[in-house]
Amino acid sequence: MGIFSKDIGIDLGTANTLIYVSGEGIVLQEPSVVAIDQRDKTFYAAGVEANKMIGRTPGDIVAVRPLKDGVIADFDAAEMMLRAFIIRAKRRSLFNPRIAIGIPSGVTGVEWRAVMDAARRAGAREVYPIDEPVAAAIGAGLPVTEATGNMIIDIGGGTTEVAVLSLQGIVLSQSVRVAGDELTEAIISYMKKVHNLAVGERSAEQIKIEIGSAYPTAEELSMEVRGRHLLSGLPHTVIVKATEIRESMAEPLSVIVEAVKRTLENTPPELASDIIDRGIMLAGGGALLTGIDTLISHETGIVTHIAPAPLNCVVMGAGKVLEDYKKLGRVLTSRLNRL
């Protein structure tokens, strides 16, 4: 059947889902959102279309994010979303595909089985788990098959994965459920406390992208932010400076930095030496936050690099493992053995 079906790699993220099809590359990159018709609990829309509906739906339609902190929070909604995405991805295949799905290294067996069941019911022939930091390292081009230490930090929407890898395996790792979503929530909270302004998730995300930074920059930007004034209840506009936004994100950023430090403190000396020589690799959407590489370099004293196309690292790694199973398949079996 493998002749007539194409293997699929999936990065099932809290914020976005990406799908890689063998021989074709990345064929889908959409928000992890699904809209459900409440009258009969049936699928209505998924991805970009469903994301546009958040906060704008009538009472009989609800748009939800089925994942929270990197794991499935709403099983039925996740299955509907996965099925819609897999159908789009395997449109030219005659049979159901083998699927490798990136999952946070800290998930429990119960949480992983929920992902496996959702993927199988959504149309997978076989489902393989792959630890997100391993997939990210492969996608970032790190030499994970060699007996050398590689350090990867994958900052996603719901989780931050910090891992030291060698010989296709995780030597040690830290998984913290603080990542891009918490940075966004910190901005929302700051705007309420300091400016008495209620802003939505999209507005806070835009603030983070446009003027957010993890470390002081040469040019401190500012922008207009519109929202609802909490005292008057009327629409209101304020000018927000980059320094304020950096201050608002300081707490979640410190959690990420501490996870990196804890991992380095427990790294065996030989591997630590390799990491000092090679540096630290950053992947995931959080790697796009201005100055986060400089912050980690400053706090650890180790040069930190941002992977090319950091958003795509996990899905590229998952896809490459299935394409080159003889060379990289050990990363799948090692994860299965630990469940």
Side-chain angles (χ1 to χ4, degrees):
M1 285 194 295
I3 300 171
F4 302 102
S5 69
K6 295 188 175 183
D7 294 336
I8 290 176
I10 299 178
D11 176 7
L12 186 62
T14 306
N16 297 287
T17 295
L18 292 84
I19 294 184
Y20 178 101
V21 175
S22 58
E24 296 183 32
I26 297 172
V27 299
L28 184 141
Q29 182 173 349
E30 299 206 17
S32 298
V33 183
V34 62
I36 300 169
D37 191 325
Q38 291 292 84
R39 291 170 296 186
D40 50 7
K41 302 295 181 182
T42 55
F43 172 83
Y44 189 83
V48 173
E49 188 180 349
N51 194 48
K52 292 176 182 176
M53 299 177 186
I54 292 178
R56 297 189 174 96
T57 58
D60 57 349
I61 296 172
V62 61
V64 298
R65 297 183 183 276
L67 287 100
K68 182 173 177 58
D69 296 333
V71 296
I72 291 177
D74 185 330
F75 182 84
D76 293 333
E79 184 188 333
M80 288 182 195
M81 183 184 75
L82 262 178
R83 182 183 288 114
F85 290 158
I86 290 171
I87 287 170
R88 290 186 214 173
K90 70 182 186 74
R91 59 191 180 277
R92 287 183 291 277
S93 297
L94 297 179
F95 294 102
N96 290 339
R98 291 190 308 170
I99 294 179
I101 302 184
I103 59 172
S105 58
V107 302
T108 64
V110 172
E111 289 169 333
W112 163 240
R113 278 189 286 276
V115 177
M116 282 185 76
D117 290 343
R120 282 175 180 150
R121 290 174 62 176
R125 184 170 89 246
E126 296 174 37
V127 187
Y128 299 100
I130 178 170
D131 289 308
E132 281 181 357
V134 178
I138 294 170
L142 294 179
V144 297
T145 58
E146 299 175 11
T148 54
N150 298 280
M151 188 170 195
I152 184 89
I153 305 171
D154 178 26
I155 308 173
T159 58
T160 294
E161 305 283 322
V162 185
V164 176
L165 313 172
S166 181
L167 288 172
Q168 298 191 49
I170 294 177
V171 179
L172 70 160
S173 65
Q174 288 273 331
S175 181
V176 292
R177 297 192 175 185
V178 175
D181 289 348
E182 281 68 28
L183 295 176
T184 302
E185 287 169 11
I187 294 171
I188 293 173
S189 179
Y190 179 87
M191 295 302 294
K192 283 182 181 177
K193 288 178 182 177
V194 177
H195 293 284
N196 288 318
L197 195 72
V199 297
E201 188 179 317
R202 284 189 186 178
S203 297
E205 184 76 18
Q206 198 59 38
I207 294 168
K208 182 174 70 176
I209 292 168
E210 289 193 22
I211 65 171
S213 61
Y215 201 78
T217 57
E219 183 184 4
E220 293 294 350
L221 304 172
S222 62
M223 70 178 287
E224 272 192 1
V225 178
R226 296 179 178 85
R228 177 174 55 83
H229 198 271
L230 294 175
L231 301 179
S232 68
L234 299 174
H236 188 62
T237 302
V238 297
I239 303 294
V240 179
K241 296 179 181 179
T243 50
E244 295 180 79
I245 302 306
R246 187 164 56 250
E247 179 188 330
S248 74
M249 297 189 295
E251 187 176 337
L253 284 171
S254 70
V255 174
I256 294 171
V257 169
E258 284 305 311
V260 176
K261 287 182 177 179
R262 283 196 304 271
T263 306
L264 286 168
E265 286 168 5
N266 294 313
T267 301
E270 294 299 328
L271 296 179
S273 175
D274 293 337
I275 292 167
I276 291 170
D277 291 340
R278 294 174 176 275
I280 297 169
M281 184 66 76
L282 275 173
L288 298 174
L289 178 66
T290 302
I292 193 158
D293 53 335
T294 309
L295 174 67
I296 292 171
S297 294
H298 179 264
E299 293 291 332
T300 63
I302 300 172
V303 175
T304 304
H305 312 281
I306 298 173
L311 280 166
N312 302 341
C313 287
V314 172
V315 74
M316 289 292 292
K320 284 179 180 178
V321 169
L322 288 174
E323 285 184 335
D324 195 358
Y325 190 83
K326 286 185 179 179
K327 182 180 178 183
L328 299 169
R330 184 173 173 273
V331 302
L332 301 179
T333 54
S334 66
R335 177 67 199 186
L336 283 168
N337 291 335
R338 285 187 281 126
L339 289 171

